[in-house]
Amino acid sequence: MGELITGAEALMKCLVAESVDRVFGYPGGSIMPVYDKLYNYENEILHVLTRHEQGAVHAAQGYARATGKTGVVIATSGPGAMNLVTGIADAKIDSTPLVIITGQVGTGVLGTDAFQETDMIDVANPISKWGIQLRSAEEIPDVISRAFFIANSGRPGPVVIDFPKNVQTEIMEWTDYKTCSYIRTYNHRPEINEYSISKAAALINSAERPLILAGHGVTIAGAERLLGELAEKADIPVAVTLLGLSVMPSKHPLFKGMLGMHGNIAPNIATNRADVIIAIGMRFDDRVVCRVKDYAPNAQIVHIDIDASEIGRIVPTQLPINADAKDALEALLPLVNNANHKEWLDLFSKLEKIEDQKVHSRQLNRRSSESMGMGEVVDAVAGAVNDDAILVTDVGQNQMFAAKYFRFSSPRSMISSGGLGTMGFGIPAAIGAKMGCPDRIVCLFTGDGGFQMTVQELGTIMEYNVKVKIIILNNNFLGNVRQWQELFFNSRFSQTKLLNPDFIKLAEAYGIKGEDVGTREELQAAVQRMIRHDGSYILNVNIDEKDMIFPMIPLEAAVDEILLDKEERLDVLHL
């Protein structure tokens, strides 16, 4: 006969068996039995008490994205569970592995509108990978093992386990815990279709203007090295999605920048001139494709993705390959010929020079009489960390400038809210990333708007001495919305001006060192002080309120219809 324990203790034993070393959460009435048992496991599992449940789920996302492990979140029922919803949706669309455990009222009062009762599973089903409500303690080991397997296999995502209070206190017999590696109805790693791989190799070998589009799926699969080998062997330029940044070192000669609405000129123009596009672990989302009917009109598209539902969903695909990116690249590499595409690569060089002259020079070399721009701040920080930090961003102009001007030398170095675009993501995600990778510098770029959405998590930084470097690009506006208002709404700045507090005094209240940076003459020294400081640090940098992020592809434009600034459009016909 096995040991007799409660359901709450069974959960603790399961987490230990899954090698969980920390959880992020916030206690409450319906999850108290779990927290009571957690008290006995504090030497094995660190509980990170965030200041809000949304902070907990975003911190778990940052931890998962930086490490590749599954983030774990615990919250109570009702409002506690509902406060997780934004983070669950964010994790689903950005393929982030989470196991989320929510308290629930006892099964005897389910459906009676009991105090803090909410139907969490029906709420979470559309925005999670799997959800289940426990009904007996005996189910716990099997459900938890399946949850971890589902969350971090195939296309990763969040799993929600609703845990009624009486199931937490129910006695069960603990015998053994078996980790899950197979579910009959769940094909987490599709088999390689050798015919499709050979056809893809033939297309690549015959291409004159091939282009690789790499996304977050390359990181998830751990296929960065193979991506580089394919690009080098076949001499193919590589462009990336926002979440694909850091799959290839920024200084690699075949790395050509970011795709999409605020991406680099060269890959966007090249998309509509390529004859073969090899899309690897990316979704062809609307911010990358822009106007679908005019996207890549000359290209045969090879789409490699582990999620079959993404293939052909937005852009017609001539050669679908439903596979893990690493498996597909391993099969493809031996069949691809050594090649040289000098003339094609020369076009990228030409376009890169245009962007340097028309955009980068304006954003990085502003006149001394001008207020500071976001680009020059990001560039200064990137230089100070020698391109070897983890970048975390909030959402908005800060996100796009950071994506453009930060530089990467190692994988898993870019953490941002991509698909959902969640303001407030930044502070807690940076906390999770630093806890997951304590030996790496973590730099967070945030706007003054997003910073204030989860500013209470400075308390988490204080309590756990999390050494993150926070750069507030402060323009006293909701900058991205302001940019759209100026460009497309006749400069009618409705509800985008912000009256902000003294951020440095606020930091001091949490024991965090910081300083205001008002001029570019102060910038370099302030950045050095921040990086050298052995602890968390906040730089509040005063930014030109009129600063805008360019290049930009307006909504419903084609990827080669590019604004260089608010008055100049790229002349594609004469390139």
Side-chain angles (χ1 to χ4, degrees), residues 502-523:
D502 186 326
F503 291 128
I504 301 309
K505 286 184 178 179
L506 186 60
E508 290 173 0
Y510 285 100
I512 299 172
K513 190 170 180 59
E515 59 181 296
D516 289 309
V517 181
T519 66
R520 62 176 48 82
E521 289 74 25
E522 302 168 341
L523 178 63

mmCIF file of all heavy atoms in Angstrom, residues 502-523:
data_model
loop_
_atom_site.group_PDB
_atom_site.id
_atom_site.type_symbol
_atom_site.label_atom_id
_atom_site.label_comp_id
_atom_site.label_asym_id
_atom_site.label_seq_id
_atom_site.Cartn_x
_atom_site.Cartn_y
_atom_site.Cartn_z
ATOM 1 N N ASP A 502 7.061 60.753 -10.943
ATOM 2 C CA ASP A 502 8.526 60.743 -10.913
ATOM 3 C C ASP A 502 8.962 59.277 -10.788
ATOM 4 O O ASP A 502 8.894 58.683 -9.716
ATOM 5 C CB ASP A 502 9.029 61.572 -9.719
ATOM 6 C CG ASP A 502 10.538 61.723 -9.704
ATOM 7 O OD1 ASP A 502 11.236 60.776 -10.117
ATOM 8 O OD2 ASP A 502 11.032 62.768 -9.248
ATOM 9 N N PHE A 503 9.387 58.701 -11.905
ATOM 10 C CA PHE A 503 9.706 57.277 -11.912
ATOM 11 C C PHE A 503 10.900 56.935 -11.021
ATOM 12 O O PHE A 503 10.971 55.837 -10.460
ATOM 13 C CB PHE A 503 9.972 56.800 -13.341
ATOM 14 C CG PHE A 503 8.752 56.775 -14.217
ATOM 15 C CD1 PHE A 503 8.739 57.399 -15.454
ATOM 16 C CD2 PHE A 503 7.594 56.125 -13.803
ATOM 17 C CE1 PHE A 503 7.620 57.374 -16.268
ATOM 18 C CE2 PHE A 503 6.455 56.093 -14.604
ATOM 19 C CZ PHE A 503 6.469 56.715 -15.843
ATOM 20 N N ILE A 504 11.835 57.854 -10.878
ATOM 21 C CA ILE A 504 13.021 57.558 -10.070
ATOM 22 C C ILE A 504 12.669 57.570 -8.583
ATOM 23 O O ILE A 504 13.151 56.730 -7.812
ATOM 24 C CB ILE A 504 14.160 58.549 -10.395
ATOM 25 C CG1 ILE A 504 14.511 58.458 -11.892
ATOM 26 C CG2 ILE A 504 15.386 58.242 -9.552
ATOM 27 C CD1 ILE A 504 14.785 57.051 -12.413
ATOM 28 N N LYS A 505 11.805 58.482 -8.162
ATOM 29 C CA LYS A 505 11.339 58.440 -6.777
ATOM 30 C C LYS A 505 10.550 57.170 -6.512
ATOM 31 O O LYS A 505 10.644 56.571 -5.431
ATOM 32 C CB LYS A 505 10.483 59.673 -6.470
ATOM 33 C CG LYS A 505 11.276 60.953 -6.303
ATOM 34 C CD LYS A 505 10.375 62.116 -5.896
ATOM 35 C CE LYS A 505 11.189 63.389 -5.684
ATOM 36 N NZ LYS A 505 10.314 64.532 -5.321
ATOM 37 N N LEU A 506 9.781 56.759 -7.487
ATOM 38 C CA LEU A 506 9.038 55.512 -7.360
ATOM 39 C C LEU A 506 9.999 54.333 -7.218
ATOM 40 O O LEU A 506 9.801 53.444 -6.379
ATOM 41 C CB LEU A 506 8.145 55.324 -8.590
ATOM 42 C CG LEU A 506 7.172 54.150 -8.594
ATOM 43 C CD1 LEU A 506 6.188 54.256 -7.440
ATOM 44 C CD2 LEU A 506 6.429 54.095 -9.922
ATOM 45 N N ALA A 507 11.051 54.316 -8.032
ATOM 46 C CA ALA A 507 12.060 53.259 -7.922
ATOM 47 C C ALA A 507 12.714 53.261 -6.540
ATOM 48 O O ALA A 507 12.929 52.199 -5.928
ATOM 49 C CB ALA A 507 13.118 53.442 -9.015
ATOM 50 N N GLU A 508 13.020 54.456 -6.046
ATOM 51 C CA GLU A 508 13.644 54.562 -4.719
ATOM 52 C C GLU A 508 12.756 53.973 -3.631
ATOM 53 O O GLU A 508 13.241 53.363 -2.673
ATOM 54 C CB GLU A 508 13.956 56.019 -4.407
ATOM 55 C CG GLU A 508 15.096 56.595 -5.243
ATOM 56 C CD GLU A 508 15.271 58.092 -5.042
ATOM 57 O OE1 GLU A 508 14.493 58.677 -4.249
ATOM 58 O OE2 GLU A 508 16.166 58.673 -5.684
ATOM 59 N N ALA A 509 11.440 54.125 -3.782
ATOM 60 C CA ALA A 509 10.513 53.569 -2.807
ATOM 61 C C ALA A 509 10.625 52.048 -2.740
ATOM 62 O O ALA A 509 10.320 51.442 -1.701
ATOM 63 C CB ALA A 509 9.082 53.984 -3.136
ATOM 64 N N TYR A 510 11.038 51.429 -3.841
ATOM 65 C CA TYR A 510 11.222 49.978 -3.882
ATOM 66 C C TYR A 510 12.685 49.576 -3.698
ATOM 67 O O TYR A 510 13.038 48.413 -3.927
ATOM 68 C CB TYR A 510 10.707 49.433 -5.217
ATOM 69 C CG TYR A 510 9.204 49.391 -5.314
ATOM 70 C CD1 TYR A 510 8.509 50.384 -6.006
ATOM 71 C CD2 TYR A 510 8.472 48.360 -4.741
ATOM 72 C CE1 TYR A 510 7.132 50.351 -6.119
ATOM 73 C CE2 TYR A 510 7.091 48.315 -4.842
ATOM 74 C CZ TYR A 510 6.423 49.317 -5.528
ATOM 75 O OH TYR A 510 5.054 49.274 -5.630
ATOM 76 N N GLY A 511 13.521 50.516 -3.330
ATOM 77 C CA GLY A 511 14.926 50.202 -3.109
ATOM 78 C C GLY A 511 15.707 49.950 -4.375
ATOM 79 O O GLY A 511 16.747 49.280 -4.353
ATOM 80 N N ILE A 512 15.223 50.474 -5.496
ATOM 81 C CA ILE A 512 15.874 50.265 -6.789
ATOM 82 C C ILE A 512 16.582 51.544 -7.197
ATOM 83 O O ILE A 512 15.991 52.621 -7.196
ATOM 84 C CB ILE A 512 14.842 49.861 -7.858
ATOM 85 C CG1 ILE A 512 14.159 48.546 -7.469
ATOM 86 C CG2 ILE A 512 15.501 49.738 -9.233
ATOM 87 C CD1 ILE A 512 12.996 48.169 -8.346
ATOM 88 N N LYS A 513 17.830 51.415 -7.558
ATOM 89 C CA LYS A 513 18.605 52.586 -7.956
ATOM 90 C C LYS A 513 18.203 53.012 -9.359
ATOM 91 O O LYS A 513 17.861 52.184 -10.200
ATOM 92 C CB LYS A 513 20.097 52.264 -7.916
ATOM 93 C CG LYS A 513 21.007 53.472 -8.086
ATOM 94 C CD LYS A 513 22.443 53.121 -7.802
ATOM 95 C CE LYS A 513 23.354 54.337 -7.974
ATOM 96 N NZ LYS A 513 22.993 55.454 -7.090
ATOM 97 N N GLY A 514 18.241 54.304 -9.602
ATOM 98 C CA GLY A 514 17.876 54.786 -10.919
ATOM 99 C C GLY A 514 18.279 56.226 -11.117
ATOM 100 O O GLY A 514 18.732 56.905 -10.185
ATOM 101 N N GLU A 515 18.130 56.699 -12.347
ATOM 102 C CA GLU A 515 18.443 58.089 -12.653
ATOM 103 C C GLU A 515 17.693 58.540 -13.896
ATOM 104 O O GLU A 515 17.343 57.748 -14.771
ATOM 105 C CB GLU A 515 19.947 58.290 -12.839
ATOM 106 C CG GLU A 515 20.570 57.468 -13.949
ATOM 107 C CD GLU A 515 22.081 57.696 -14.054
ATOM 108 O OE1 GLU A 515 22.482 58.845 -14.358
ATOM 109 O OE2 GLU A 515 22.836 56.725 -13.848
ATOM 110 N N ASP A 516 17.434 59.845 -13.925
ATOM 111 C CA ASP A 516 16.856 60.470 -15.106
ATOM 112 C C ASP A 516 17.966 60.818 -16.085
ATOM 113 O O ASP A 516 19.053 61.252 -15.678
ATOM 114 C CB ASP A 516 16.109 61.757 -14.725
ATOM 115 C CG ASP A 516 14.827 61.478 -13.958
ATOM 116 O OD1 ASP A 516 14.023 60.657 -14.433
ATOM 117 O OD2 ASP A 516 14.636 62.095 -12.893
ATOM 118 N N VAL A 517 17.696 60.628 -17.368
ATOM 119 C CA VAL A 517 18.639 61.014 -18.418
ATOM 120 C C VAL A 517 17.914 61.995 -19.331
ATOM 121 O O VAL A 517 16.978 61.627 -20.039
ATOM 122 C CB VAL A 517 19.126 59.796 -19.217
ATOM 123 C CG1 VAL A 517 20.132 60.230 -20.285
ATOM 124 C CG2 VAL A 517 19.742 58.752 -18.296
ATOM 125 N N GLY A 518 18.362 63.240 -19.293
ATOM 126 C CA GLY A 518 17.657 64.281 -20.031
ATOM 127 C C GLY A 518 18.279 64.641 -21.360
ATOM 128 O O GLY A 518 17.588 65.144 -22.247
ATOM 129 N N THR A 519 19.577 64.400 -21.530
ATOM 130 C CA THR A 519 20.258 64.793 -22.764
ATOM 131 C C THR A 519 21.142 63.665 -23.255
ATOM 132 O O THR A 519 21.576 62.795 -22.489
ATOM 133 C CB THR A 519 21.139 66.030 -22.536
ATOM 134 O OG1 THR A 519 22.224 65.686 -21.646
ATOM 135 C CG2 THR A 519 20.335 67.178 -21.927
ATOM 136 N N ARG A 520 21.482 63.690 -24.546
ATOM 137 C CA ARG A 520 22.323 62.637 -25.102
ATOM 138 C C ARG A 520 23.748 62.732 -24.558
ATOM 139 O O ARG A 520 24.474 61.730 -24.550
ATOM 140 C CB ARG A 520 22.318 62.647 -26.627
ATOM 141 C CG ARG A 520 22.849 63.889 -27.294
ATOM 142 C CD ARG A 520 22.875 63.729 -28.818
ATOM 143 N NE ARG A 520 21.635 63.213 -29.371
ATOM 144 C CZ ARG A 520 20.565 63.962 -29.629
ATOM 145 N NH1 ARG A 520 20.585 65.261 -29.374
ATOM 146 N NH2 ARG A 520 19.486 63.431 -30.126
ATOM 147 N N GLU A 521 24.142 63.918 -24.101
ATOM 148 C CA GLU A 521 25.480 64.042 -23.505
ATOM 149 C C GLU A 521 25.599 63.217 -22.219
ATOM 150 O O GLU A 521 26.691 62.796 -21.843
ATOM 151 C CB GLU A 521 25.798 65.511 -23.224
ATOM 152 C CG GLU A 521 26.043 66.369 -24.456
ATOM 153 C CD GLU A 521 24.762 66.697 -25.219
ATOM 154 O OE1 GLU A 521 23.672 66.679 -24.588
ATOM 155 O OE2 GLU A 521 24.848 66.973 -26.433
ATOM 156 N N GLU A 522 24.471 62.996 -21.564
ATOM 157 C CA GLU A 522 24.464 62.211 -20.324
ATOM 158 C C GLU A 522 24.294 60.714 -20.566
ATOM 159 O O GLU A 522 24.534 59.898 -19.660
ATOM 160 C CB GLU A 522 23.300 62.670 -19.426
ATOM 161 C CG GLU A 522 23.310 64.139 -19.049
ATOM 162 C CD GLU A 522 22.000 64.587 -18.417
ATOM 163 O OE1 GLU A 522 20.973 63.891 -18.588
ATOM 164 O OE2 GLU A 522 22.005 65.632 -17.756
ATOM 165 N N LEU A 523 23.920 60.352 -21.772
ATOM 166 C CA LEU A 523 23.430 58.990 -22.019
ATOM 167 C C LEU A 523 24.494 57.921 -21.817
ATOM 168 O O LEU A 523 24.270 56.950 -21.073
ATOM 169 C CB LEU A 523 22.848 58.904 -23.437
ATOM 170 C CG LEU A 523 22.331 57.530 -23.859
ATOM 171 C CD1 LEU A 523 21.174 57.090 -22.974
ATOM 172 C CD2 LEU A 523 21.908 57.545 -25.327
#
